[in-house]
Amino acid sequence: MQKLQGGLSVLMPVYTTNPNWLKAAVRSVLEQTFEDFDFIIVDDGSDITTKKVLGEFARQDKRIKLVENCVNMGLTRSLNRGLRLCGTKWVARMDSDDVALPNRLEIQAAYLAEHPETSVLGTGAAYLESGRAFPFKHPPVRHEEIIAMLPFVCPFAHPSVVLNRDEVLAAGGYPDTQHAEDYALWLSLLLDHPGARFHIIPDILLRYRRGLDRPLYRARQTESTELLQKDCFRRLVPNADPSAAEKIFLPKTRCQDVLSTLQLVSQIKTGVRKRFPEADPLFLARGALRLKRQILASTQFSGYGTGCRRALMKSEYFLISSLIQVRRSFFACL
């Protein structure tokens, strides 16, 4: 098997986790069909059980470099420390409770060998708990599709990505956020580094643990995501009513606020088109529609007009998804 020019490291931060999940995650990396990689594990002050599991794996496989933080630094700082310690151009992310399919790295390495200009390469993923695709069916794949949707939703499963380490470090690494550090990085690359190139291999190559047993963590992830999106919207539409972006994410939206927030969504679409003229129109429409549905779902008014709007949006979403599917089927046949 050919080597990947620039080399590949796998980066896994670990903090006190279920030992069975950890063992499955580490084994799924060590048993990859692509074997030429370094495995950097950053232990962020875990308990003794987790340390024993990691120590045993490190003794068994020389590719593992086990790094221990003196104190608990948190995920973002552990990721940035790990990135600095990696000595390769490419860094594959992995989490300590997920499972990579055996050919994940082989498929990603083959793509990167053909497309070395890539900044972030993700893959399809499925939830471990349900088997449902993450984050939705027919995700964006090409760069033009991804940049159209990034302001509205994070389409990457973070532990599936391979990063261009030099580009990420040049961008300042992962932004120092408490949660949603991956989405913060993608938006930073999108808005501040126009040369960044994104791609997602649609094949499901990762089993992703949703974290249903951690409701507080999920709530904080959602809160951080909303803050990032508000900031993105303000940058795309600097002259917009500043209160409109706040109203989008209210748990309950008054009827009189719906029109102003829906108007802002249209302005955001225009802002994306101006900033990124190559953005795919179908995926831009789908991203904006996702936000519109969120606004209408939170409205306190449930009259006939709102019901009609929701029905129209469902029809529009079905039409857009069908067009995407038809277009992909057509190009697959060529």
Side-chain angles (χ1 to χ4, degrees):
M1 187 177 296
Q2 288 186 340
K3 290 187 176 182
L4 178 61
Q5 188 171 2
L8 175 69
S9 297
V10 178
L11 173 58
M12 176 190 287
V14 178
Y15 175 67
T16 304
T17 188
N18 182 310
N20 292 325
W21 295 354
L22 177 59
K23 291 174 185 177
V26 174
R27 287 194 188 106
S28 75
V29 175
L30 297 178
E31 295 171 1
Q32 289 288 303
T33 55
F34 182 90
E35 299 176 342
D36 185 23
F37 59 85
D38 299 323
F39 192 1
I40 311 299
I41 300 178
V42 181
D43 177 10
D44 192 24
S46 300
D47 63 13
I48 190 63
T49 301
T50 301
K51 289 183 183 297
K52 286 181 178 178
V53 172
L54 294 176
E56 184 62 28
F57 275 116
R59 285 188 290 272
Q60 293 174 3
D61 198 304
K62 294 181 179 180
R63 290 175 296 179
I64 294 177
K65 180 179 180 181
L66 183 56
V67 180
E68 295 192 18
N69 294 339
C70 296
V71 295
N72 179 262
M73 298 171 59
L75 177 58
T76 302
R77 292 181 180 179
S78 294
L79 284 170
N80 284 330
R81 185 186 184 199
L83 280 174
R84 291 191 295 269
L85 291 172
C86 291
T88 57
K89 175 181 179 179
W90 304 106
V91 177
R93 276 283 291 111
M94 185 63 189
D95 279 347
S96 60
D97 57 353
D98 299 325
V99 176
L101 271 64
N103 59 343
R104 173 199 160 181
L105 294 182
E106 180 181 355
I107 291 175
Q108 288 182 290
Y111 180 88
L112 293 170
E114 295 292 327
H115 303 87
E117 74 284 357
T118 304
S119 307
V120 182
L121 175 64
T123 77
Y127 289 119
L128 269 167
E129 295 91 345
S130 65
R132 185 171 63 85
F134 168 91
F136 34 64
K137 290 179 69 175
H138 311 305
V141 173
R142 299 180 299 115
H143 174 78
E144 296 79 9
E145 298 169 352
I146 293 168
I147 62 173
M149 290 203 73
L150 266 175
F152 305 100
V153 63
C154 178
F156 288 99
H158 188 196
S160 80
V161 303
V162 175
L163 306 170
N164 183 314
R165 172 179 172 270
D166 295 339
E167 288 189 29
V168 172
L169 289 178
Y174 284 89
D176 192 11
T177 59
Q178 287 290 330
H179 298 279
E181 71 291 330
D182 56 326
Y183 194 26
L185 177 57
W186 317 146
L187 288 177
S188 172
L189 291 171
L190 175 74
L191 296 170
D192 299 320
H193 302 274
R197 301 294 298 180
F198 303 96
H199 189 81
I200 295 175
I201 297 170
D203 302 354
I204 292 177
L205 300 176
L206 180 83
R207 301 295 180 188
Y208 187 60
R209 201 173 299 278
R210 193 174 185 181
L212 296 174
D213 58 333
R214 295 177 290 170
L216 180 60
Y217 168 80
R218 288 176 57 78
R220 288 175 175 170
Q221 283 281 96
T222 299
E223 182 181 0
S224 293
T225 297
E226 291 176 359
L227 288 172
L228 291 167
Q229 287 175 326
K230 289 175 189 176
D231 181 65
C232 179
F233 296 163
R234 293 189 188 102
R235 294 184 63 180
L236 289 170
V237 193
N239 299 321
D241 176 5
S243 65
E246 296 292 332
K247 293 171 184 174
I248 285 177
F249 300 101
L250 290 175
K252 290 186 178 180
T253 306
R254 295 176 302 171
C255 180
Q256 57 264 41
D257 292 331
V258 170
L259 289 179
S260 64
T261 49
L262 291 179
Q263 183 182 18
L264 176 60
V265 177
S266 297
Q267 292 175 318
I268 294 167
K269 282 180 64 178
T270 302
V272 174
R273 287 195 200 99
K274 289 181 178 179
R275 186 76 175 270
F276 310 105
E278 73 272 37
D280 186 277
L282 280 179
F283 282 87
L284 178 57
R286 194 171 81 167
L289 189 61
R290 180 186 179 96
L291 194 55
K292 289 180 182 179
R293 290 173 69 183
Q294 176 180 317
I295 293 166
L296 282 183
S298 66
T299 184
Q300 291 178 308
F301 182 70
S302 57
Y304 178 76
T306 301
C308 288
R309 288 191 191 97
R310 288 175 178 164
L312 285 172
M313 286 186 183
K314 286 183 179 179
S315 300
E316 186 179 351
Y317 188 83
F318 176 78
L319 175 62
I320 292 170
S321 297
S322 298
L323 288 172
I324 290 170
Q325 193 171 5
V326 168
R327 185 173 67 181
R328 287 187 173 168
S329 299
F330 174 77
F331 283 111
C333 293
L334 294 180

